[in-house]
């Protein structure tokens, strides 16, 4: 469900409006449309990076995006580099 709790993160306040599970499920529901409607790789990458930043800001789990599609892997690795 939706959460309207405000979390304190340092001096920054932000509202969480969805759970990380909801965010990941929503992203993967719209992913096929993004892939089909933005055929240029570089434009799709920039769009997906921006979209992933929004999802991560609202508590989606970056590890749940990895390993499902090479385009998403590339974008998430640029937005949230894995610890190596």
């Amino acid at each position: 469900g939706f959460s309207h709790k405000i979390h304190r993160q340092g001096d920054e306040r932000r509202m969480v409006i969805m759970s990380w599970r909801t965010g990941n499920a929503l992203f993967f529901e719209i992913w096929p449309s993004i892939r089909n409607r933005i055929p240029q790789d570089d434009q799709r990458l920039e769009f997906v990076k921006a979209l992933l930043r929004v999802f991560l800001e609202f508590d989606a789990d970056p590890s749940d995006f990895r390993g499902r599609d090479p385009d998403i892997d590339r974008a998430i690795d640029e937005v949230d580099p894995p610890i190596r």
Side-chain angles (χ1 to χ4, degrees):
F2 285 86
S3 169
H4 294 286
K5 299 176 192 168
I6 295 189
H7 294 272
R8 185 165 284 297
Q9 197 173 36
D11 292 331
E12 191 178 316
R13 293 177 65 145
R14 64 193 175 107
M15 186 179 292
V16 177
I17 59 171
M18 65 182 158
S19 71
W20 61 266
R21 287 185 195 121
T22 301
N24 289 339
L26 178 60
F27 180 88
F28 285 106
E29 285 177 21
I30 63 175
W31 171 243
S33 293
I34 294 168
R35 189 180 51 229
N36 292 332
R37 295 184 183 261
I38 308 175
Q40 301 84 4
D41 291 342
D42 57 335
Q43 291 176 357
R44 186 174 54 251
L45 175 65
E46 292 307 312
F47 181 82
V48 171
K49 287 181 350 185
L51 189 59
L52 285 169
R53 285 184 190 101
V54 172
F55 276 80
L56 295 175
E57 179 181 334
F58 286 95
D59 287 343
D61 185 345
S63 65
D64 287 340
F65 291 103
R66 291 189 170 93
R68 297 179 73 174
D69 184 282
D71 286 345
I72 297 170
D73 289 346
R74 183 173 164 207
I76 196 72
D77 284 349
E78 289 188 31
V79 170
D80 186 67
I83 298 171
R84 299 185 196 261

